[in-house]
Amino acid sequence: MSSIIEVKGLKKDFGALQVLKGVDVSIEENEVVCVIGPSGSGKSTFLRCLNRLEEITDGEILIDGVHLSKDNENEVRTEMGMVFQSFNLFPHMSVLDNVTIGPRKVRKVDRKEAEHKALELLSRVGLADKAHGYPSSLSGGQKQRVAIARALAMNPKIILFDEPTSALDPEMVGEVLDVMKGLAHGGMTLVIVTHEMGFAKEVADRVLFMDEGYIIEQGTPDEIFNHPKEERTKNFLSKVL
Amino acid sequence: MLYVKGFLVALQGVPVTVGVTLIAMVTGAVLGLVLALMKMSRIKVLTALASLYIEVIRGTPLIVQALIMAYGLPQLMQSIGINFRWTYLIIPAIIVCGLNSAAYVAEVIRSGIQAVDKGQMEAARSIGMTKRQAMQLIVIPQALKIVLPSFGNEFVSLIKETSVLSYVGVVEILRKGALWNAATFNTFEAYIGVALVYMLLTIPSSKLVKRLEKKMSTDSAN
């Protein structure tokens, strides 16, 4: 069986700065992968390369066996949602429109059907009563849950999370992580860049530790958190745990 | 009383001034949006063309542009054997104001688009929208909202700027006053009348813009 995400020799430069120096990794369907590492390690860039928000400098990315390129980026993205650190909800649209705009405009689903599904998703993230409000009336945690519903509305096979709780007040982190746990248990393929080590320990099937543009070490949460082999991993964990 | 007469004479020019301004503003908005998109395009030729256009328009006075359009162009056409005359001078006047306003509006819209958070485009693309869809549905609506007050200011200054059209034979507010002056030599009353009519248009418009600005800033604060 082929992996749903296959990354080979991925390199990414920003001008003279080399952020990713050669990343190889395969992610299986239904797998929950957490990417951890110090800031500047390239973990967010790695994630953003997976849906081509960043154009890669060298290497290859296969999504569901298809070589990711400029020509198929839009189709690939419909199968791969993304949740951002800063939510990026569309402020000029109601919560319901935020969730339905993708299905309606990209998948050409009719409004009624899209709204029906959106309401279902909003109740799944506990926000059905906010459907007709605007993003500006929501708390950070609520915004991020809407962002997750927006990603889910496209019926993706994969969801990428880019530090989804880093911009949240501490008391709101839990509600977002709970929704993400639900997705993980529901069998969705998730790639999560996170600083929430407790969450990674609990939910991840596999943890990738990145530093200076490489994946230094990977393994089960138990292997990474309790028996790290690499010096840099130990060093990082001693600072964050 | 002569001041009242002067005011009433100038008032007759209001429909032309407001008409020219409105049509020019709409043309300017549409063309300005196109120019702004061209200027931000990755296609170098489009960027260069838009920049050139904006430089030329912003680098020359409106009156000169109006003279070229109203009198220069027909003369040029005739010299190459095409018999061309403007039937109504208000037509080149509207065209020139629209073309002029487009250059200013383009810069306003461009700054508006750039003021929209980069994350908005990324979020739109991340759900599979094309760049065009993302611009149309997500970025431009937010940009227009941001630039609405600047648009209003552009409208107010355009009302005043159309006064130069009196030099190319368009009978708008200033021209009405000037003609009355020529006929009666009530110079001071004529031009005071003209000034008052302009204020009648610009002061309420500016007030409206201020209101809009205030509303926008409280909106974005939420």
Side-chain angles (χ1 to χ4, degrees):
Chain A
M1 193 195 91
S2 75
S3 312
I4 193 158
I5 300 175
E6 184 110 38
V7 178
K8 296 174 191 164
L10 168 60
K11 289 183 186 163
K12 172 67 187 175
D13 302 344
F14 288 104
L17 183 70
Q18 201 174 17
V19 177
L20 298 177
K21 298 174 182 165
V23 174
D24 295 271
V25 67
S26 299
I27 293 168
E28 307 303 322
E29 205 162 350
N30 306 335
E31 198 177 11
V32 177
V33 174
C34 285
V35 186
I36 62 169
S39 50
S41 59
K43 53 194 194 305
S44 278
T45 305
F46 163 69
L47 195 75
R48 291 164 56 84
C49 285
L50 293 181
N51 68 348
R52 258 186 74 86
L53 281 186
E54 301 294 349
E55 217 169 307
I56 67 177
T57 307
D58 196 17
E60 190 183 17
I61 297 172
L62 296 164
I63 305 294
D64 221 356
V66 178
H67 175 88
L68 178 62
S69 72
K70 188 168 177 52
D71 299 323
N72 62 17
E73 61 181 14
N74 292 325
E75 292 91 282
V76 170
R77 283 171 183 156
T78 61
E79 303 294 331
M80 187 154 58
M82 188 166 201
V83 174
F84 300 85
Q85 179 177 353
S86 49
F87 327 127
N88 297 343
L89 292 182
F90 307 131
H92 60 305
M93 294 179 181
S94 71
V95 165
L96 190 62
D97 285 344
N98 264 275
V99 179
T100 59
I101 187 95
R104 286 196 288 124
K105 298 295 177 182
V106 179
R107 289 222 195 269
K108 313 289 182 201
V109 174
D110 73 49
R111 182 184 278 272
K112 225 175 155 184
E113 196 185 328
E115 290 187 347
H116 182 74
K117 167 128 200 259
L119 286 169
E120 236 176 72
L121 289 170
L122 285 171
S123 53
R124 199 161 135 200
V125 299
L127 291 169
D129 55 324
K130 301 283 185 191
H132 298 285
Y134 277 77
S136 58
S137 68
L138 303 179
S139 71
Q142 290 172 331
K143 282 181 189 166
Q144 198 60 301
R145 285 186 280 152
V146 173
I148 293 172
R150 177 176 67 183
L152 285 172
M154 293 297 289
N155 249 333
K157 292 184 181 148
I158 307 164
I159 299 186
L160 310 174
F161 286 88
D162 188 7
E163 302 193 24
T165 58
S166 297
L168 296 177
D169 292 335
E171 75 270 22
M172 292 171 184
V173 170
E175 63 191 70
V176 172
L177 293 182
D178 283 342
V179 171
M180 292 168 63
K181 276 178 209 163
L183 296 178
H185 295 142
M188 177 85 75
T189 309
L190 305 178
V191 185
I192 305 164
V193 171
T194 186
H195 294 292
E196 296 290 331
M197 298 303 154
F199 174 78
K201 236 185 237 180
E202 187 187 334
V203 176
D205 297 312
R206 184 157 43 128
V207 176
L208 309 182
F209 171 70
M210 286 187 72
D211 195 16
E212 292 180 358
Y214 295 104
I215 296 176
I216 303 295
E217 187 171 357
Q218 54 178 301
T220 64
D222 180 56
E223 284 165 348
I224 296 294
F225 290 110
N226 302 330
H227 314 285
K229 293 191 197 79
E230 299 290 330
E231 210 45 50
R232 274 195 272 183
T233 317
K234 288 178 195 165
N235 207 333
F236 172 73
L237 291 173
S238 71
K239 283 179 200 148
V240 296
L241 288 181
Chain B
M1 195 178 145
L2 285 174
Y3 287 105
V4 176
K5 177 76 178 149
F7 176 78
L8 290 175
V9 166
L11 202 59
Q12 292 165 3
V14 167
V16 170
T17 292
V18 171
V20 169
T21 306
L22 280 177
I23 300 174
M25 199 65 206
V26 173
T27 329
V30 175
L31 199 59
L33 178 61
V34 174
L35 279 170
L37 294 175
M38 278 171 72
K39 195 152 181 195
M40 291 187 303
S41 160
R42 260 189 288 185
I43 304 164
K44 290 255 160 53
V45 187
L46 294 182
T47 312
L49 278 175
S51 300
L52 180 70
Y53 180 86
I54 292 167
E55 289 299 318
V56 168
I57 295 289
R58 305 220 304 178
T60 53
L62 178 59
I63 176 94
V64 176
Q65 295 161 15
L67 289 168
I68 292 173
M69 181 66 79
Y71 300 128
L73 196 65
Q75 202 260 328
L76 175 76
M77 302 274 256
Q78 271 154 26
S79 73
I80 57 170
I82 302 166
N83 195 7
F84 175 79
R85 269 191 72 225
W86 294 108
T87 322
Y88 301 101
L89 281 168
I90 196 166
I91 293 169
I94 290 172
I95 294 174
V96 117
C97 285
L99 293 179
N100 182 277
S101 158
Y104 291 88
V105 168
E107 292 292 276
V108 168
I109 292 181
R110 192 168 66 100
S111 66
I113 289 175
Q114 281 166 348
V116 175
D117 189 271
K118 205 162 71 39
Q120 292 291 310
M121 174 58 97
E122 292 187 346
R125 299 303 304 274
S126 81
I127 50 176
M129 283 191 200
T130 61
K131 197 168 178 194
R132 193 198 177 95
Q133 283 178 317
M135 279 303 249
Q136 259 173 20
L137 299 167
I138 307 300
V139 177
I140 290 176
Q142 292 182 59
L144 290 182
K145 208 175 149 197
I146 294 171
V147 302
L148 214 55
S150 313
F151 245 78
N153 286 326
E154 172 66 15
F155 180 75
V156 173
S157 56
L158 199 57
I159 289 177
K160 291 180 288 176
E161 279 174 31
T162 55
S163 62
V164 307
L165 298 176
S166 62
Y167 285 91
V168 296
V170 177
V171 189
E172 37 65 82
I173 295 170
L174 176 57
R175 186 73 175 160
K176 281 279 182 198
L179 288 172
W180 187 62
N181 169 45
T184 64
F185 296 106
N186 295 319
T187 310
F188 191 67
E189 294 85 348
Y191 292 125
I192 288 295
V194 167
L196 288 174
V197 171
Y198 276 114
M199 281 167 67
L200 187 70
L201 295 177
T202 53
I203 291 177
S205 307
S206 302
K207 281 257 154 58
L208 213 69
V209 172
K210 281 241 171 61
R211 275 256 279 294
L212 209 63
E213 249 164 7
K214 218 179 203 163
K215 190 176 174 306
M216 303 289 301
S217 63
T218 50
D219 270 7
S220 59
N222 288 333

